[in-house]
Amino acid sequence: LPECLGRLESRSAAGRALTRLRELRPGCALNWHRSAWNDAMRLIPEHGVTNAHSDGIWSIDWAPNGTIVTGSCDETIKTWSRSSGEGINNVHTLSGHKLGVLSARADPSSDVIASTSLDSSVRIWNMATGECLADEEHGAAEVWNVAFGRDGLLVAAGGGRHNVKIVDGKSAKQLGVMEVPAAIQSETGKKSERFVLSVAVSPNGKRVASGSMDGSVNVFDVATGKYLHKCEGHAMPVRSLAFTPDSRVLITCSDDMHIHMYDSEHGSLIASLSGHSSWVLSVAPSPNGSSFLTGSSDQSVKLWDYHNRICAHTVNQHTDQVWGVAWHPEGTYAASVGDDKLLCTYETSTV
Protein backbone atom coordinates (compact mmCIF):
# COMPACT_ATOMS: atom_id res chain seq x y z
CA LEU A 1 0.00 0.00 0.00
CA PRO A 2 2.71 2.62 0.82
CA GLU A 3 4.37 1.78 -2.48
CA CYS A 4 1.09 2.45 -4.27
CA LEU A 5 0.56 5.78 -2.55
CA GLY A 6 4.14 6.85 -3.20
CA ARG A 7 3.81 6.17 -6.88
CA LEU A 8 0.47 7.99 -7.01
CA GLU A 9 1.92 11.11 -5.35
CA SER A 10 4.99 11.16 -7.58
CA ARG A 11 2.97 11.32 -10.81
CA SER A 12 1.83 14.64 -12.24
CA ALA A 13 -1.06 13.01 -14.10
CA ALA A 14 -3.35 10.84 -12.00
CA GLY A 15 -4.43 8.87 -15.03
CA ARG A 16 -0.89 7.59 -15.67
CA ALA A 17 -0.48 6.80 -11.99
CA LEU A 18 -3.62 4.72 -11.89
CA THR A 19 -2.54 2.81 -14.99
CA ARG A 20 0.77 1.99 -13.34
CA LEU A 21 -0.98 1.06 -10.09
CA ARG A 22 -3.10 -1.48 -11.93
CA GLU A 23 0.08 -3.08 -13.26
CA LEU A 24 1.72 -3.25 -9.83
CA ARG A 25 -1.14 -3.91 -7.44
CA PRO A 26 -4.53 -4.48 -9.04
CA GLY A 27 -6.23 -4.63 -5.64
CA CYS A 28 -4.66 -1.41 -4.48
CA ALA A 29 -5.65 0.37 -7.71
CA LEU A 30 -9.22 -0.73 -7.17
CA ASN A 31 -9.33 0.36 -3.54
CA TRP A 32 -7.78 3.76 -4.15
CA HIS A 33 -9.30 4.50 -7.55
CA ARG A 34 -12.06 6.81 -6.28
CA SER A 35 -9.91 8.87 -3.91
CA ALA A 36 -7.13 9.26 -6.47
CA TRP A 37 -9.52 10.82 -8.98
CA ASN A 38 -11.04 13.02 -6.28
CA ASP A 39 -7.60 14.34 -5.35
CA ALA A 40 -6.71 15.02 -9.00
CA MET A 41 -9.81 17.04 -9.84
CA ARG A 42 -10.22 20.23 -7.82
CA LEU A 43 -11.74 23.71 -7.90
CA ILE A 44 -9.52 26.27 -6.19
CA PRO A 45 -11.27 29.60 -5.45
CA GLU A 46 -9.37 32.38 -7.22
CA HIS A 47 -11.18 35.73 -7.44
CA GLY A 48 -14.55 36.89 -6.17
CA VAL A 49 -16.54 40.02 -7.02
CA THR A 50 -19.17 40.77 -4.38
CA ASN A 51 -22.15 42.79 -5.62
CA ALA A 52 -21.08 42.18 -9.21
CA HIS A 53 -24.65 43.21 -10.06
CA SER A 54 -27.20 45.07 -7.94
CA ASP A 55 -29.49 42.01 -7.88
CA GLY A 56 -29.25 38.25 -8.32
CA ILE A 57 -27.14 36.98 -11.25
CA TRP A 58 -28.99 34.44 -13.36
CA SER A 59 -26.62 33.72 -16.23
CA ILE A 60 -22.91 33.39 -17.03
CA ASP A 61 -20.90 32.54 -20.13
CA TRP A 62 -17.20 32.61 -20.98
CA ALA A 63 -16.49 33.85 -24.50
CA PRO A 64 -13.72 32.40 -26.70
CA ASN A 65 -11.73 35.64 -26.33
CA GLY A 66 -11.68 35.24 -22.54
CA THR A 67 -14.46 37.72 -21.78
CA ILE A 68 -16.88 36.72 -19.01
CA VAL A 69 -20.53 37.61 -19.71
CA THR A 70 -23.12 37.84 -16.91
CA GLY A 71 -26.85 38.59 -16.94
CA SER A 72 -28.85 39.72 -13.93
CA CYS A 73 -32.25 40.33 -12.45
CA ASP A 74 -31.13 43.99 -12.31
CA GLU A 75 -31.94 44.16 -16.07
CA THR A 76 -28.29 44.50 -17.18
CA ILE A 77 -25.63 42.40 -18.88
CA LYS A 78 -22.01 42.94 -17.90
CA THR A 79 -18.76 41.93 -19.57
CA TRP A 80 -15.66 41.26 -17.49
CA SER A 81 -11.94 40.74 -17.99
CA ARG A 82 -10.02 38.33 -15.79
CA SER A 83 -6.33 37.92 -15.07
CA SER A 84 -4.39 36.24 -12.31
CA GLY A 85 -2.66 39.46 -11.30
CA GLU A 86 -5.45 42.01 -11.71
CA GLY A 87 -8.46 39.91 -10.78
CA ILE A 88 -11.88 40.48 -12.39
CA ASN A 89 -12.73 43.88 -13.83
CA ASN A 90 -15.95 45.20 -15.37
CA VAL A 91 -15.49 46.22 -19.01
CA HIS A 92 -19.01 47.13 -20.20
CA THR A 93 -22.48 47.33 -18.68
CA LEU A 94 -25.16 46.69 -21.30
CA SER A 95 -28.49 48.32 -20.52
CA GLY A 96 -31.77 48.23 -22.40
CA HIS A 97 -33.81 45.29 -21.16
CA LYS A 98 -36.88 46.42 -19.21
CA LEU A 99 -36.99 43.39 -16.89
CA GLY A 100 -34.56 40.82 -15.51
CA VAL A 101 -32.08 39.15 -17.89
CA LEU A 102 -32.67 35.41 -18.03
CA SER A 103 -29.88 34.38 -20.36
CA ALA A 104 -26.79 36.00 -21.92
CA ARG A 105 -24.63 33.98 -24.30
CA ALA A 106 -21.52 34.74 -26.37
CA ASP A 107 -21.41 33.60 -29.99
CA PRO A 108 -18.43 31.22 -30.32
CA SER A 109 -17.89 32.30 -33.94
CA SER A 110 -18.15 36.11 -33.68
CA ASP A 111 -17.89 39.09 -31.34
CA VAL A 112 -21.57 39.29 -30.34
CA ILE A 113 -23.73 38.45 -27.33
CA ALA A 114 -27.37 37.37 -27.40
CA SER A 115 -29.64 37.94 -24.41
CA THR A 116 -33.19 37.10 -23.36
CA SER A 117 -35.26 38.77 -20.68
CA LEU A 118 -38.51 38.66 -18.77
CA ASP A 119 -39.52 41.55 -21.06
CA SER A 120 -39.95 38.88 -23.83
CA SER A 121 -37.24 40.30 -26.07
CA VAL A 122 -34.08 38.97 -27.68
CA ARG A 123 -31.25 41.48 -27.98
CA ILE A 124 -27.99 41.21 -29.92
CA TRP A 125 -24.98 43.16 -28.62
CA ASN A 126 -21.50 44.02 -29.84
CA MET A 127 -19.20 42.52 -27.20
CA ALA A 128 -16.31 44.87 -27.88
CA THR A 129 -18.27 48.14 -27.72
CA GLY A 130 -21.39 47.24 -25.72
CA GLU A 131 -23.63 48.58 -28.49
CA CYS A 132 -27.08 47.02 -28.95
CA LEU A 133 -27.25 45.81 -32.56
CA ALA A 134 -30.81 44.42 -32.56
CA ASP A 135 -33.87 44.23 -30.32
CA GLU A 136 -36.89 42.07 -31.14
CA GLU A 137 -39.91 41.20 -29.02
CA HIS A 138 -41.21 37.63 -29.26
CA GLY A 139 -44.44 37.60 -27.27
CA ALA A 140 -45.08 37.00 -23.59
CA ALA A 141 -42.72 34.38 -22.10
CA GLU A 142 -41.73 33.14 -25.57
CA VAL A 143 -37.96 33.50 -25.13
CA TRP A 144 -36.75 32.13 -21.81
CA ASN A 145 -33.29 30.92 -22.75
CA VAL A 146 -30.94 31.22 -25.70
CA ALA A 147 -28.00 29.30 -27.17
CA PHE A 148 -25.65 29.74 -30.12
CA GLY A 149 -24.79 26.98 -32.54
CA ARG A 150 -22.42 26.91 -35.47
CA ASP A 151 -22.22 29.78 -37.98
CA GLY A 152 -24.30 32.13 -35.85
CA LEU A 153 -27.31 29.82 -35.52
CA LEU A 154 -29.35 31.08 -32.58
CA VAL A 155 -32.05 29.06 -30.86
CA ALA A 156 -34.40 30.30 -28.15
CA ALA A 157 -36.50 28.38 -25.63
CA GLY A 158 -39.87 29.43 -24.28
CA GLY A 159 -43.59 29.09 -24.75
CA GLY A 160 -46.05 26.43 -23.71
CA ARG A 161 -45.81 23.81 -26.46
CA HIS A 162 -42.37 22.22 -25.95
CA ASN A 163 -41.27 24.05 -29.11
CA VAL A 164 -37.96 25.78 -29.82
CA LYS A 165 -37.56 28.92 -31.94
CA ILE A 166 -34.84 29.49 -34.53
CA VAL A 167 -33.74 33.11 -34.36
CA ASP A 168 -31.52 35.14 -36.67
CA GLY A 169 -28.24 35.86 -34.87
CA LYS A 170 -28.00 39.33 -36.40
CA SER A 171 -31.54 40.72 -36.46
CA ALA A 172 -32.97 38.70 -33.52
CA LYS A 173 -36.03 37.97 -35.69
CA GLN A 174 -37.70 34.56 -35.70
CA LEU A 175 -36.82 32.37 -38.67
CA GLY A 176 -38.68 29.18 -37.78
CA VAL A 177 -39.84 26.76 -35.11
CA MET A 178 -38.77 23.26 -34.16
CA GLU A 179 -42.02 21.59 -33.14
CA VAL A 180 -42.76 18.64 -30.90
CA PRO A 181 -45.48 16.42 -32.46
CA ALA A 182 -48.98 16.90 -31.07
CA ALA A 183 -49.10 13.31 -29.86
CA ILE A 184 -46.01 13.91 -27.71
CA GLN A 185 -47.36 17.23 -26.42
CA SER A 186 -50.61 15.60 -25.35
CA GLU A 187 -48.70 13.36 -22.94
CA THR A 188 -48.41 16.44 -20.71
CA GLY A 189 -51.76 17.58 -19.39
CA LYS A 190 -51.30 21.22 -18.42
CA LYS A 191 -49.96 23.71 -20.94
CA SER A 192 -47.90 25.38 -18.19
CA GLU A 193 -45.99 22.11 -17.70
CA ARG A 194 -44.89 22.14 -21.36
CA PHE A 195 -43.08 25.45 -20.89
CA VAL A 196 -39.51 25.29 -22.24
CA LEU A 197 -36.88 26.48 -19.76
CA SER A 198 -33.56 25.47 -21.33
CA VAL A 199 -31.96 24.91 -24.72
CA ALA A 200 -28.60 23.72 -26.07
CA VAL A 201 -26.96 23.14 -29.46
CA SER A 202 -24.49 20.29 -29.94
CA PRO A 203 -20.89 21.34 -30.75
CA ASN A 204 -21.04 19.50 -34.09
CA GLY A 205 -24.07 21.60 -35.02
CA LYS A 206 -26.36 18.65 -35.70
CA ARG A 207 -28.69 18.56 -32.69
CA VAL A 208 -30.75 20.93 -30.54
CA ALA A 209 -32.03 19.84 -27.12
CA SER A 210 -34.61 21.50 -24.89
CA GLY A 211 -35.72 20.99 -21.30
CA SER A 212 -39.22 21.73 -19.98
CA MET A 213 -41.21 22.32 -16.80
CA ASP A 214 -42.61 18.78 -16.83
CA GLY A 215 -39.11 17.26 -16.82
CA SER A 216 -39.19 16.25 -20.47
CA VAL A 217 -36.10 16.61 -22.65
CA ASN A 218 -36.64 16.78 -26.42
CA VAL A 219 -34.05 16.50 -29.20
CA PHE A 220 -34.32 17.97 -32.71
CA ASP A 221 -32.33 17.70 -35.94
CA VAL A 222 -30.83 21.05 -36.98
CA ALA A 223 -30.63 20.34 -40.72
CA THR A 224 -34.31 19.39 -41.08
CA GLY A 225 -35.82 21.04 -38.00
CA LYS A 226 -37.58 17.77 -37.24
CA TYR A 227 -38.26 16.25 -33.83
CA LEU A 228 -36.08 13.19 -33.17
CA HIS A 229 -36.80 11.77 -29.73
CA LYS A 230 -37.60 12.35 -26.09
CA CYS A 231 -35.15 11.66 -23.26
CA GLU A 232 -37.08 10.33 -20.28
CA GLY A 233 -36.20 10.16 -16.60
CA HIS A 234 -36.67 13.55 -14.96
CA ALA A 235 -39.89 14.22 -13.06
CA MET A 236 -39.43 17.96 -12.37
CA PRO A 237 -38.29 21.08 -14.32
CA VAL A 238 -35.09 20.80 -16.37
CA ARG A 239 -33.47 24.22 -16.01
CA SER A 240 -30.17 23.55 -17.75
CA LEU A 241 -28.68 21.08 -20.20
CA ALA A 242 -25.54 20.82 -22.32
CA PHE A 243 -23.86 18.52 -24.82
CA THR A 244 -20.39 17.13 -24.21
CA PRO A 245 -17.63 18.44 -26.52
CA ASP A 246 -17.86 15.35 -28.74
CA SER A 247 -21.66 15.85 -29.04
CA ARG A 248 -22.28 12.21 -28.10
CA VAL A 249 -23.76 12.76 -24.62
CA LEU A 250 -26.40 15.19 -23.37
CA ILE A 251 -26.11 16.17 -19.70
CA THR A 252 -29.24 17.51 -18.00
CA CYS A 253 -30.04 18.79 -14.51
CA SER A 254 -33.35 19.14 -12.76
CA ASP A 255 -35.31 20.27 -9.72
CA ASP A 256 -35.52 16.56 -8.85
CA MET A 257 -31.88 16.97 -7.59
CA HIS A 258 -30.51 14.59 -10.24
CA ILE A 259 -28.10 14.95 -13.14
CA HIS A 260 -28.77 12.68 -16.11
CA MET A 261 -26.48 11.61 -18.94
CA TYR A 262 -28.20 10.57 -22.19
CA ASP A 263 -27.02 9.09 -25.46
CA SER A 264 -27.78 12.10 -27.67
CA GLU A 265 -28.21 9.96 -30.79
CA HIS A 266 -30.91 7.66 -29.42
CA GLY A 267 -32.12 9.32 -26.21
CA SER A 268 -31.34 6.39 -23.93
CA LEU A 269 -30.35 7.09 -20.31
CA ILE A 270 -26.69 6.31 -19.64
CA ALA A 271 -26.43 7.37 -15.99
CA SER A 272 -28.28 9.19 -13.22
CA LEU A 273 -26.12 11.04 -10.70
CA SER A 274 -27.06 12.53 -7.34
CA GLY A 275 -25.21 14.56 -4.72
CA HIS A 276 -26.89 17.95 -4.48
CA SER A 277 -29.39 18.41 -1.65
CA SER A 278 -31.69 20.75 -3.59
CA TRP A 279 -32.59 21.79 -7.15
CA VAL A 280 -29.77 21.49 -9.69
CA LEU A 281 -29.93 24.72 -11.68
CA SER A 282 -26.96 24.76 -14.04
CA VAL A 283 -24.52 22.45 -15.83
CA ALA A 284 -21.42 23.01 -17.96
CA PRO A 285 -19.07 20.34 -19.44
CA SER A 286 -15.36 21.10 -19.49
CA PRO A 287 -13.75 21.85 -22.88
CA ASN A 288 -11.76 18.60 -22.83
CA GLY A 289 -14.75 16.50 -21.79
CA SER A 290 -13.10 15.02 -18.69
CA SER A 291 -15.42 16.71 -16.20
CA PHE A 292 -18.42 18.97 -15.78
CA LEU A 293 -19.71 21.56 -13.33
CA THR A 294 -23.11 21.90 -11.67
CA GLY A 295 -24.62 24.68 -9.59
CA SER A 296 -27.52 24.23 -7.20
CA SER A 297 -30.05 25.80 -4.87
CA ASP A 298 -28.07 24.15 -2.08
CA GLN A 299 -25.54 27.01 -2.65
CA SER A 300 -22.77 24.68 -3.84
CA VAL A 301 -20.77 24.18 -7.04
CA LYS A 302 -19.74 20.61 -7.78
CA LEU A 303 -17.03 19.30 -10.09
CA TRP A 304 -17.89 15.88 -11.51
CA ASP A 305 -15.59 13.25 -12.98
CA TYR A 306 -17.26 12.52 -16.32
CA HIS A 307 -15.66 9.13 -16.98
CA ASN A 308 -16.12 7.68 -13.49
CA ARG A 309 -19.45 9.44 -12.88
CA ILE A 310 -18.65 10.64 -9.38
CA CYS A 311 -18.48 14.02 -7.67
CA ALA A 312 -14.77 14.85 -7.40
CA HIS A 313 -14.99 18.13 -5.48
CA THR A 314 -17.51 20.55 -3.95
CA VAL A 315 -17.00 24.24 -3.19
CA ASN A 316 -19.25 26.48 -1.12
CA GLN A 317 -18.30 30.06 -1.97
CA HIS A 318 -21.91 31.17 -2.48
CA THR A 319 -24.48 32.07 0.17
CA ASP A 320 -27.53 31.67 -2.09
CA GLN A 321 -28.61 29.48 -4.99
CA VAL A 322 -26.13 29.12 -7.86
CA TRP A 323 -27.81 29.90 -11.19
CA GLY A 324 -24.86 29.67 -13.53
CA VAL A 325 -21.53 27.89 -14.05
CA ALA A 326 -19.07 28.24 -16.93
CA TRP A 327 -15.60 27.21 -18.12
CA HIS A 328 -12.77 29.25 -19.56
CA PRO A 329 -12.34 28.18 -23.22
CA GLU A 330 -9.06 26.45 -22.38
CA GLY A 331 -10.53 24.67 -19.34
CA THR A 332 -7.96 26.13 -16.96
CA TYR A 333 -10.48 28.24 -15.05
CA ALA A 334 -14.15 28.05 -14.11
CA ALA A 335 -16.72 30.55 -12.84
CA SER A 336 -20.05 30.68 -11.03
CA VAL A 337 -22.78 33.21 -10.26
CA GLY A 338 -25.83 33.23 -8.03
CA ASP A 339 -28.61 35.07 -6.26
CA ASP A 340 -26.07 36.38 -3.74
CA LYS A 341 -24.75 38.74 -6.50
CA LEU A 342 -21.33 37.06 -6.31
CA LEU A 343 -19.17 36.37 -9.38
CA CYS A 344 -16.53 33.82 -8.45
CA THR A 345 -13.70 32.31 -10.48
CA TYR A 346 -11.71 29.16 -9.76
CA GLU A 347 -8.45 27.63 -10.85
CA THR A 348 -9.10 24.08 -12.03
CA SER A 349 -7.12 20.90 -11.71
CA THR A 350 -8.59 18.20 -13.92
CA VAL A 351 -7.31 15.00 -15.48
Side-chain angles (χ1 to χ4, degrees):
L1 182 60
E3 178 187 4
C4 292
L5 291 175
R7 289 181 180 275
L8 180 59
E9 293 171 354
S10 67
R11 301 278 180 161
S12 59
R16 292 197 300 273
L18 290 172
T19 299
R20 184 59 176 157
L21 282 170
R22 292 191 190 97
E23 297 172 356
L24 295 172
R25 301 268 187 93
C28 177
L30 177 63
N31 292 337
W32 286 90
H33 179 77
R34 181 180 296 263
S35 62
W37 278 90
N38 285 355
D39 289 343
M41 307 180 81
R42 309 283 294 178
L43 290 174
I44 305 165
E46 184 201 32
H47 301 301
V49 180
T50 57
N51 297 315
H53 284 262
S54 61
D55 209 331
I57 310 174
W58 290 347
S59 175
I60 186 169
D61 197 12
W62 214 320
N65 65 5
T67 299
I68 298 173
V69 181
T70 57
S72 169
C73 185
D74 68 7
E75 305 175 10
T76 70
I77 297 132
K78 291 188 177 184
T79 59
W80 309 81
S81 64
R82 182 227 138 261
S83 68
S84 298
E86 299 181 5
I88 307 170
N89 293 288
N90 183 212
V91 179
H92 293 294
T93 298
L94 316 182
S95 301
H97 281 296
K98 300 176 181 64
L99 291 171
V101 176
L102 295 164
S103 176
R105 297 285 179 261
D107 183 354
S109 61
S110 70
D111 193 29
V112 302
I113 297 167
S115 61
T116 61
S117 165
L118 288 169
D119 64 14
S120 302
S121 70
V122 174
R123 284 180 176 248
I124 308 296
W125 311 82
N126 183 302
M127 188 186 307
T129 66
E131 177 189 3
C132 182
L133 305 175
D135 176 15
E136 186 74 15
E137 290 195 13
H138 286 262
E142 287 295 316
V143 284
W144 199 258
N145 209 315
V146 70
F148 276 104
R150 284 188 169 185
D151 303 320
L153 172 72
L154 185 61
V155 294
R161 296 186 300 276
H162 285 319
N163 296 337
V164 173
K165 292 186 175 184
I166 304 171
V167 178
D168 185 88
K170 294 182 178 180
S171 69
K173 295 183 181 295
Q174 181 174 326
L175 300 177
V177 178
M178 295 179 176
E179 297 183 342
V180 173
I184 302 296
Q185 291 188 35
S186 64
E187 293 176 2
T188 302
K190 297 179 181 178
K191 184 177 179 180
S192 60
E193 294 179 353
R194 304 174 196 168
F195 190 85
V196 182
L197 293 168
S198 53
V199 67
V201 184
S202 63
N204 64 12
K206 294 182 178 181
R207 301 284 185 264
V208 167
S210 65
S212 300
M213 283 288 293
D214 64 355
S216 64
V217 175
N218 295 299
V219 179
F220 305 85
D221 179 78
V222 169
T224 64
K226 292 184 177 180
Y227 172 82
L228 295 177
H229 50 254
K230 181 178 180 180
C231 302
E232 298 183 346
H234 287 299
M236 297 178 70
V238 175
R239 299 184 187 273
S240 180
L241 71 177
F243 289 89
T244 53
D246 62 8
S247 300
R248 296 175 61 185
V249 174
L250 177 65
I251 306 176
T252 64
C253 59
S254 170
D255 288 7
D256 62 15
M257 300 187 289
H258 286 82
I259 300 114
H260 285 179
M261 300 168 67
Y262 295 97
D263 175 351
S264 64
E265 188 68 23
H266 304 100
S268 55
L269 181 64
I270 298 171
S272 179
L273 311 179
S274 60
H276 284 290
S277 59
S278 187
W279 300 356
V280 191
L281 303 173
S282 51
V283 62
S286 65
N288 68 5
S290 68
S291 58
F292 61 91
L293 297 168
T294 55
S296 169
S297 286
D298 66 12
Q299 306 177 10
S300 73
V301 174
K302 289 183 180 289
L303 175 65
W304 299 81
D305 178 343
Y306 171 80
H307 298 289
N308 290 288
R309 301 169 190 168
I310 59 172
C311 178
H313 192 213
T314 301
V315 289
N316 296 281
Q317 300 300 109
H318 290 275
T319 58
D320 209 332
Q321 51 195 7
V322 181
W323 280 106
V325 289
W327 290 90
H328 184 279
E330 296 178 356
T332 49
Y333 299 94
S336 61
V337 293
D339 268 344
D340 56 3
K341 300 179 279 188
L342 173 68
L343 165 59
C344 188
T345 61
Y346 311 87
E347 294 183 41
T348 63
S349 174
T350 60
V351 177

